[in-house]
Amino acid sequence: MKHRLTVAQAVVKFLAAQWTERDGAEQRAIAGFLGIFGHGNVAGIGQALLQAQRDNQPEMPYVLARNEQAMVHTAAGYARMRNRLSTMACTTSIGPGSTNMLTGAALATVNRLPVLLLPSDVFATRAATPVLQELEDPRAGDVSVNDAFRPLSKFFDRVWRPEQLPSALLGAMRVLTDPAETGAVTLCLPQDVQAEAYDFPDELFAKRVWHVTRPAPDPLAVERAAAAIRGAARPLIVAGGGVIYSEASAVLDRFARETGIPVADTQAGKGALAWDHPNAVGGVGATGNPVANRLAGHADVVLGIGTRYSDFTTASRSVFQHPAVRFVNLNVAGFDAGKLSALPLVGDARAGLTALRPALHGRRFTGDFRDDVAAWQGAVEKAYRGDMAYPGKKGELPTQAEVIGVVNEACGARDVVVQAAGSMPGDLQRLWRVRDPKQYHVEYGYSCMGFEIAGALGIKMADPGREVYALVGDGSYLMMAQELVTAIAEGVKLIVVLVQNHGFASIGALSQSIGSQRFGTAYRYKTAATGDYDGARLPVDLAANAESLGAAVIRCRTATDLAEGLKQARESERLTVVHIETDPLAGGPSSEAWWDVPVAEIATLHSTRHAHAGYLEEKKRQRHHLRPGDRS
Ligand SMILES: Cc1ncc(C[n+]2csc(CCOP(=O)(O)OP(=O)(O)O)c2C)c(N)n1
Ligand SMILES: [Mg+2]
């Protein structure tokens, strides 16, 4: 049997029939479409989505986004909340509509999150080339702007002819649903091909279930890993995002209790264990806490689970200082399992821990880190109350740590906090007391300003029963606030906490630390004398801006106001923006770890020369981690 459909109709019909299954639970693999129409897709995917709605085919919801980059963030937020078992498709027009998605594609691939990108492409027939928004390459007739997606995608195809569609779709689904491979998947759909009819084989549209398995590591690798851990004196576990995606928290909990090994976490892994779990020591690395970092400094065997070992996790390879430290990496992706010359355990986090547990033959470790963790939590309490000594603090404005404390207290156990860039990710990783594996959503793989509101929209759509709090800096807000309008149109309630500090607190502090005196990081009037933005504050009212977009807005001045504002926001049905101004110069307690940001080697400025001398000292602590992981 054949089914005569346009290519776009076939894409929609096929995607509506794709399911994933893990541990016996099925869900739609592609929950819906996000899109912005233009001449590239209005007659293709646009028509197909309309027809799907009218014909009562399996439902394919459509969400009109306001910016193409943002809609990829929304799909990525959705996928992360669904532990990568379900995501959304993104349809765009050709040219700028497509290239606006590039940043989102990179974010998804860096964070190992599945998103399906369907940029439209120029005419396959080239009947009237160049069409509006076509980039011409005099050297190559088959190049379009969409080729820029190639290095950002884990799978890329361009459907020049309808006959190619089945293999392109199946290839896309295979990569989207493979936890080891997943990331951005891009299928470019030329605008004429989208509207072209073809007799597709019927079986292409049958319900298809992509079974997401839990590969167990090779038994000999488990033996080698167990021997390394049994022989350790001071092991440490680093829990990454893979623990959460694999839903391995309960197994990790038991593993940690039985072995006594302390568990540190990464930004993506925060929530793997609740903050008050007896083995939890909090974040490790540049945005971690001093207790976890001291344990890392002395660890002789590090069991990394589901982590990609970013420079923040390793403090630019300076946090693991034991002279003979070796790594055992449990990861579903061989690429990540092999990092830091580790002994690789390639497999699912839950299956791997389950296999590793009996192989340890009851080995227990009795490190005493709990008093240190308790002392650190005392410091967190003080920061939450604004009760720290802040060298830079001048006025009466609340500190960012106080804001985080108030939001943390307002959050129910299952509520979600969303963040991505600026000074908040560091403060959140250090200070946030996480209670649930899906509570903490800080996008710190790509750390993309502007992710927060768009990502929060996807998170809330993925799990509408949870209250979702997006913490947004003024810099991020000014980059990408427009998805407030999308959320309002869709009836998706978010609570947005807009933290106004008149510029880049994060990069300001970084600039100062590398001797560049916060140059060019404040949102103020420019003064001619210095060429810098050190004039009066700008007459910007972001709360009024949010109001003008249709949000309910609550303006707060103090931490007490904020607690009251959040209470009102929770009780309201409306998307609410809670606005508060904070002191940009009052940081939180330090991680006491380093981050490698090179300082100018020569400079006329004393501040830069001074910073460079400090940099050379820190640089000495950087390790290579080349020692083979499997030596005995
Ligand atoms: C898209 C993008 N551009 C630039 C950066 C570099 N960057 C990191 S944080 C930051 C400033 C963020 O400002 P804001 O959101 O106000 O947060 P704050 O630093 O004040 O906490 C910049 C420019 C980035 N992470 N993402
Ligand atoms: Mg700011």
Side-chain angles (χ1 to χ4, degrees):
M1 278 278 287
K2 301 281 187 198
H3 221 98
R4 192 160 180 81
L5 295 171
T6 68
V7 164
Q9 290 159 2
V11 167
V12 172
K13 193 171 174 63
F14 171 88
L15 293 178
Q18 305 307 302
W19 294 72
T20 59
E21 176 278 327
R22 189 171 73 179
D23 305 332
E26 283 188 8
Q27 55 184 308
R28 285 274 289 270
I30 307 294
F33 269 67
L34 296 147
I36 294 181
F37 296 132
H39 63 287
N41 57 344
V42 70
I45 295 284
Q47 190 280 339
L49 286 169
L50 168 69
Q51 188 166 311
Q53 308 244 336
R54 296 292 187 271
D55 287 358
N56 261 339
Q57 288 185 7
E59 196 198 356
M60 188 49 93
Y62 173 70
V63 172
L64 163 58
R66 267 63 185 175
N67 173 297
E68 291 88 353
Q69 180 189 133
M71 73 194 192
V72 188
H73 296 339
T74 300
Y78 189 97
R80 177 160 155 168
M81 202 60 194
R82 291 289 181 100
N83 290 325
R84 312 194 287 198
L85 297 168
S86 181
T87 186
M88 299 188 75
C90 299
T91 175
T92 69
S93 190
I94 74 161
S98 294
T99 52
N100 263 358
M101 289 202 293
L102 289 169
T103 297
L107 180 145
T109 293
V110 166
N111 285 289
R112 283 94 163 116
L113 292 170
V115 296
L116 176 57
L117 309 183
L118 304 173
S120 297
D121 219 315
V122 295
F123 277 66
T125 56
R126 304 188 194 156
T129 194
V131 296
L132 177 69
Q133 302 172 329
E134 178 171 348
L135 175 96
E136 294 170 279
D137 184 341
R139 298 158 303 174
D142 64 345
V143 165
S144 84
V145 291
N146 285 347
D147 287 281
F149 282 96
R150 287 181 190 269
L152 309 179
S153 302
K154 297 305 284 277
F155 180 82
F156 176 97
D157 207 346
R158 182 182 276 127
V159 183
W160 289 121
R161 292 185 56 82
E163 292 90 327
Q164 296 168 341
L165 186 66
S167 67
L169 288 172
L170 293 172
M173 289 310 305
R174 182 187 70 74
V175 173
L176 285 170
T177 58
D178 179 346
E181 285 283 305
T182 201
V185 164
T186 304
L187 296 185
C188 307
L189 302 173
Q191 65 176 103
D192 50 348
V193 178
Q194 283 185 49
E196 190 176 333
Y198 181 74
D199 290 320
F200 290 98
D202 238 6
E203 58 265 38
L204 180 63
F205 307 108
K207 174 177 173 181
R208 206 173 291 261
V209 181
W210 298 84
H211 299 283
V212 181
T213 59
R214 296 187 174 278
D218 177 85
L220 289 177
V222 171
E223 264 318 307
R224 279 194 290 272
I229 297 168
R230 286 197 309 263
R234 304 194 61 169
L236 175 72
I237 291 172
V238 175
V243 177
I244 294 177
Y245 300 140
S246 156
E247 298 176 90
S249 286
V251 180
L252 177 61
D253 165 22
R254 183 164 174 201
F255 186 93
R257 284 177 197 267
E258 283 181 6
T259 59
I261 303 175
V263 179
D265 46 36
T266 70
Q267 286 277 15
K270 191 174 169 92
L273 296 181
W275 73 280
D276 53 357
H277 185 285
N279 292 67
V281 298
V284 68
T287 48
N289 72 63
V291 177
N293 285 340
R294 272 199 295 279
L295 288 168
H298 296 130
D300 55 350
V301 171
V302 178
L303 172 57
I305 312 172
T307 171
R308 44 193 285 277
Y309 285 111
S310 81
D311 64 343
F312 269 81
T313 296
T314 67
S316 301
R317 303 202 179 178
S318 71
V319 80
F320 302 111
Q321 282 296 334
H322 190 288
V325 62
R326 60 168 154 166
F327 298 85
V328 176
N329 290 345
L330 169 56
N331 205 299
V332 74
F335 175 68
D336 289 318
K339 287 179 174 172
L340 307 185
S341 310
L343 208 160
L345 266 181
V346 180
D348 168 70
R350 190 201 277 185
L353 279 172
T354 304
L356 205 49
R357 206 164 53 78
L360 293 178
H361 306 318
R363 176 82 164 93
R364 262 196 74 76
F365 300 88
T366 50
D368 47 355
F369 47 85
R370 293 198 179 123
D371 289 350
D372 289 348
V373 173
W376 165 251
Q377 284 302 332
V380 172
E381 285 286 341
K382 283 183 92 167
Y384 273 12
R385 289 196 306 269
D387 196 13
M388 281 181 62
Y390 289 106
K393 187 159 160 51
K394 291 200 194 84
E396 290 309 304
L397 292 173
T399 64
Q400 187 161 283
E402 283 179 85
V403 168
I404 289 171
V406 172
V407 178
N408 203 160
E409 259 155 44
C411 256
R414 281 173 47 81
D415 297 352
V416 186
V417 64
V418 188
Q419 232 285 320
S423 56
M424 277 190 271
D427 286 353
L428 283 166
Q429 196 188 4
R430 269 190 297 280
L431 304 176
W432 186 269
R433 292 174 166 176
V434 67
R435 296 192 176 81
D436 177 271
K438 302 309 295 182
Q439 173 170 81
Y440 183 86
H441 190 128
V442 173
E443 187 282 294
Y444 215 57
Y446 211 46
S447 186
C448 186
M449 286 170 76
F451 172 85
E452 295 87 350
I453 294 170
L457 171 60
I459 290 161
K460 181 80 178 186
M461 290 196 301
D463 196 347
R466 296 183 191 240
E467 202 78 79
V468 177
Y469 294 76
L471 290 176
V472 188
D474 52 330
S476 261
Y477 182 89
L478 283 169
M479 252 190 215
M480 203 162 270
Q482 77 294 327
E483 297 313 303
L484 288 175
V485 182
T486 305
I488 291 166
E490 298 297 322
V492 174
K493 181 200 164 185
L494 304 174
I495 299 176
V496 176
V497 181
L498 177 42
V499 180
Q500 168 64 286
N501 58 17
H502 303 280
F504 304 162
S506 51
I507 308 299
L510 179 62
S511 166
Q512 188 144 25
S513 76
I514 53 101
S516 290
Q517 308 174 15
R518 305 186 93 93
F519 175 71
T521 61
Y523 286 159
R524 289 170 173 267
Y525 284 106
K526 187 180 262 180
T527 50
T530 61
D532 199 2
Y533 304 95
D534 47 12
R537 287 231 168 122
L538 299 170
V540 168
D541 185 345
L542 296 181
N545 178 275
E547 221 154 31
S548 77
L549 297 178
V553 171
I554 301 171
R555 294 167 193 257
C556 307
R557 286 196 55 242
T558 64
T560 317
D561 292 350
L562 179 63
E564 179 53 35
L566 291 176
K567 187 161 169 284
Q568 275 180 42
R570 273 197 313 279
E571 284 161 5
S572 168
E573 306 264 286
R574 286 181 66 191
L575 184 152
T576 304
V577 173
V578 183
H579 180 275
I580 186 152
E581 193 165 330
T582 58
D583 186 334
L585 299 180
S590 163
S591 69
E592 294 171 21
W594 179 61
W595 184 36
D596 190 349
V597 177
V599 181
E601 212 171 333
I602 56 165
T604 56
L605 299 172
H606 172 74
S607 61
T608 312
R609 289 204 303 273
H610 179 72
H612 187 253
Y615 177 72
L616 292 180
E617 277 310 303
E618 295 284 1
K619 191 82 180 159
K620 288 182 190 156
R621 292 173 52 76
Q622 199 162 40
R623 305 277 307 272
H624 298 296
H625 299 311
L626 296 175
R627 187 187 277 260
D630 67 348
R631 81 199 182 283
S632 53

